[in-house]
Amino acid sequence: MVSTTKVPEDFSVSLDNWFKHNRNKTVGDLLDFFGEKSFAVLFLTFMFIPALPVPTAGITTVLLVPSTVIAALQMIFGRRSLWMPNRVTRIKINTNVLQKAIPFMIRRIRWLEKFSRPRLSAIFDVAPFCTLTGLIVLVFTLGAQFAPPFSGLDTLPAMGVVLIALAIILEDISIYIVGAIVGSLGVGLLVTAASAIILFFRHLF
């Protein structure tokens, strides 16, 4: 379920306070803290890293992207609460890659919040729209997963998921549309690159 509950402060402030003051910084605690926003928070947190053009030491392929796929499938089938394997919920956020990524992510969210406001917020509660969102996130996430290593082709599909997640959290359909466009461009580039490689080998052999 994509339905969001209003938070009395900006999302970036809530996330920053949680990150700074919560002692047991695990993925499970983060998802519990944001409750009905948990789907979007997981999409945002886990896909923000592959959206960055930096090496991730395999954490993206092995853990972050597969977890996002699991969450997207649950959204497609209409689950109202997010379930994640214990292996995922026990991940410590204050270590390794996530420790560096989240403060950077918070700064970017804070900048976006200056321009965002609720637009067509009611649509985020509509069941067919939630299913559509799950499908879009699934396609973009698989695009990021199957992009060739070190090609940079995973960046745009992952960024599309990040923007869609922020649109859900901020209830802003304009950000959602931008995210859908960015992710679609990324998947399009990936398909074009794959087609070019296939044609090359066909001519070669």
Side-chain angles (χ1 to χ4, degrees), residues 6 14 80 94 106 109 180:
K6 290 293 185 181
S14 298
R80 302 180 67 87
N94 60 340
I106 290 171
I109 296 171

Side-chain angles (χ1 to χ4, degrees), residues 5-186:
T5 301
K6 290 293 185 181
V7 179
E9 56 189 357
D10 289 341
F11 173 71
S12 61
V13 175
S14 298
L15 184 58
D16 191 36
N17 287 337
W18 180 90
F19 185 72
K20 288 180 178 177
H21 304 300
N22 191 297
R23 294 182 179 179
N24 189 27
K25 294 184 178 68
T26 65
V27 169
D29 290 328
L30 177 64
L31 299 180
D32 288 342
F33 180 79
F34 285 103
E36 292 184 358
K37 293 179 182 283
S38 56
F39 280 97
V41 169
L42 184 136
F43 295 153
L44 171 65
T45 307
F46 278 18
M47 294 305 289
F48 187 84
I49 294 173
L52 299 173
V54 296
T56 57
I59 187 175
T60 296
T61 302
V62 174
L63 184 62
L64 302 186
V65 170
S67 299
T68 306
V69 168
I70 292 172
L73 288 171
Q74 291 179 58
M75 180 179 287
I76 290 170
F77 288 103
R79 277 190 63 93
R80 302 180 67 87
S81 59
L82 177 62
W83 172 87
M84 278 285 119
N86 289 334
R87 179 191 175 197
V88 176
T89 57
R90 290 197 300 262
I91 295 172
K92 292 285 187 179
I93 288 181
N94 60 340
T95 58
N96 303 324
V97 179
L98 289 171
Q99 183 182 20
K100 298 178 181 178
I102 286 187
F104 180 79
M105 179 177 70
I106 290 171
R107 292 195 295 271
R108 296 300 176 270
I109 296 171
R110 188 171 290 129
W111 177 84
L112 184 62
E113 285 173 337
K114 295 178 182 178
F115 307 98
S116 174
R117 66 178 186 272
R119 297 180 176 94
L120 293 180
S121 57
I123 198 172
F124 294 101
D125 291 322
V126 177
F129 186 80
C130 297
T131 299
L132 174 63
T133 298
L135 284 169
I136 293 172
V137 169
L138 179 63
V139 171
F140 291 173
T141 302
L142 291 176
Q145 175 78 330
F146 292 113
F150 308 110
S151 66
L153 292 174
D154 60 337
T155 300
L156 288 180
M159 182 59 69
V161 176
V162 168
L163 289 170
I164 287 173
L166 284 170
I168 294 169
I169 292 167
L170 302 175
E171 299 183 349
D172 189 342
I173 195 65
S174 64
I175 298 175
Y176 188 100
I177 293 171
V178 173
I181 293 171
V182 169
S184 297
L185 287 174

